[in-house]
Amino acid sequence: MGNALKTQDLANYRRILMSLRARLCGDLDRMTDEALRRESGAGGGGGGHSTMPLHMADLGTENYDQEFTLGLIENEQLTLELIHEALERMERGKYGQCAECGTSIARPRLQAIPYARHCIRCARMLEGGE
Ligand SMILES: [Zn+2]
């Protein structure tokens, strides 16, 4: 079935992971900054311009609250960790293998989630089914 990843595929996923990581790092910096500023800048009566990341801009400033930002930061940190792990697995030549059962993770899944740690079956099992 040719499910094994070729060197070229690996290089491709590596590039995707690296750019994802770079983007997430940038987002995290901006969001942490924003959240901290809001925390310490109470009583100012709302700042002037906003430095929100692009993808949050359409949520509107009014219903944008700190808790939401912190949730996002947590989420992105988790994703960052998964990306780190994926890159590490790549170094060890284990990329694309399920951490649970060792089978190859299906290619469409890797394309959707390049930092996926488990095959779809194990992921469903571990997450209690989605
Ligand atoms: Zn598995």
Side-chain angles (χ1 to χ4, degrees):
M1 290 259 289
N3 208 9
L5 293 167
K6 296 187 185 74
T7 316
Q8 210 179 343
D9 293 322
L10 281 175
N12 199 28
Y13 286 123
R14 192 187 169 82
R15 213 175 47 226
I16 295 169
L17 285 167
M18 300 286 246
S19 69
L20 253 178
R21 187 172 64 173
R23 216 196 53 190
L24 280 175
C25 281
D27 274 6
L28 274 177
D29 280 351
R30 273 202 306 276
M31 281 197 286
T32 311
D33 220 51
E34 180 82 1
L36 288 179
R37 198 165 341 150
R38 275 170 180 260
E39 206 162 49
S40 58
H49 73 288
S50 139
T51 51
M52 268 188 283
L54 270 179
H55 62 271
M56 291 177 66
D58 53 355
L59 290 172
T61 327
E62 280 129 65
N63 35 4
Y64 163 81
D65 70 353
Q66 199 182 334
E67 215 170 305
F68 177 72
T69 319
L70 291 177
L72 263 188
I73 291 172
E74 224 165 81
N75 229 320
E76 301 215 340
Q77 263 164 353
L78 202 79
T79 310
L80 260 181
E81 266 170 46
L82 289 175
I83 292 171
H84 275 297
E85 279 179 32
L87 286 167
E88 257 175 44
R89 280 198 301 278
M90 207 171 266
E91 305 258 306
R92 295 199 305 264
K94 297 273 187 194
Y95 181 76
Q97 286 173 27
C98 175
E100 188 74 15
C101 68
T103 53
S104 310
I105 298 172
R107 207 174 281 217
R109 177 164 168 78
L110 277 182
Q111 261 148 19
I113 317 169
Y115 45 84
R117 197 166 16 172
H118 298 110
C119 70
I120 202 144
R121 218 182 37 190
C122 292
R124 284 205 179 123
M125 221 165 58
L126 291 166
E127 285 157 23
E130 256 173 36

